[in-house]
Amino acid sequence: MSIQDKIISDIKEAMKAKDQDKLRVLRSLKAKLMEKEISERKGGEAKLTDEQAVEVLMKAAKQRKESIDQFEDGGREDLAENEKRELKIIDAYLPEMMSEDEVRGVVKQKIEQLGASGMQDIGKVMGPLMGQLKGKADGSMVSRIVKEELGG
């Protein structure tokens, strides 16, 4: 079952269970997935791949994380808690993310493979890495680790 199909199925379950929070988040995700699907159409029909669906979900999760930070900085714990609940629902549909140690291992290997030696090579390293780790690791964590490993 694709991620998109799973979300649609879970919308029905949330409606039956009268779980308004989950229903609101899932409907929002479904709308974002449909937007992406429409933007991908060329001529006729288009069906999102799970990779594309993960991109949409990761973007939604990132938005929630940024909102949590902003609400906590502004002293609005009530709103931060709501965003955390939404993030938890979204995370259930995302694949297991790599740990920091796993990412660091991949980064070290890529730096060695490309012969990168300093911060001037960050672009040379980040491009291939983000392609390799897309949907498996948070981009900001990858960037931070690359900078640490390159001595920045």
Side-chain angles (χ1 to χ4, degrees), residues 39-52:
S39 74
E40 293 293 318
R41 282 189 189 156
K42 294 188 177 42
E45 288 290 311
K47 183 81 172 130
L48 287 183
T49 63
D50 269 353
E51 236 176 52
Q52 291 170 313

Side-chain angles (χ1 to χ4, degrees), residues 31-131:
K32 288 183 186 325
L33 289 167
M34 288 177 77
E35 276 178 31
K36 177 75 171 172
E37 196 171 87
I38 289 168
S39 74
E40 293 293 318
R41 282 189 189 156
K42 294 188 177 42
E45 288 290 311
K47 183 81 172 130
L48 287 183
T49 63
D50 269 353
E51 236 176 52
Q52 291 170 313
V54 166
E55 276 180 46
V56 171
L57 295 178
M58 285 186 74
K59 185 175 180 183
K62 182 179 179 189
Q63 289 171 334
R64 296 312 188 288
K65 289 174 187 170
E66 289 170 356
S67 294
I68 290 167
D69 290 341
Q70 290 174 352
F71 288 140
E72 287 176 343
D73 290 346
R76 293 298 308 266
E77 285 300 319
D78 56 328
L79 296 174
E81 285 303 316
N82 187 42
E83 294 291 320
K84 287 177 184 175
R85 282 193 300 275
E86 290 184 8
L87 179 60
K88 189 174 180 184
I89 293 167
I90 295 168
D91 281 345
Y93 296 93
L94 288 170
E96 188 73 28
M97 292 289 152
M98 293 173 70
S99 72
E100 189 165 332
D101 291 337
E102 291 171 317
V103 172
R104 192 171 297 278
V106 172
V107 167
K108 285 179 178 178
Q109 183 180 2
K110 186 60 74 177
I111 288 172
E112 189 177 305
Q113 178 185 346
L114 296 172
S117 58
M119 287 304 289
Q120 71 275 9
D121 295 327
I122 193 165
K124 189 165 86 172
V125 175
M126 282 300 291
L129 262 180
M130 289 312 294

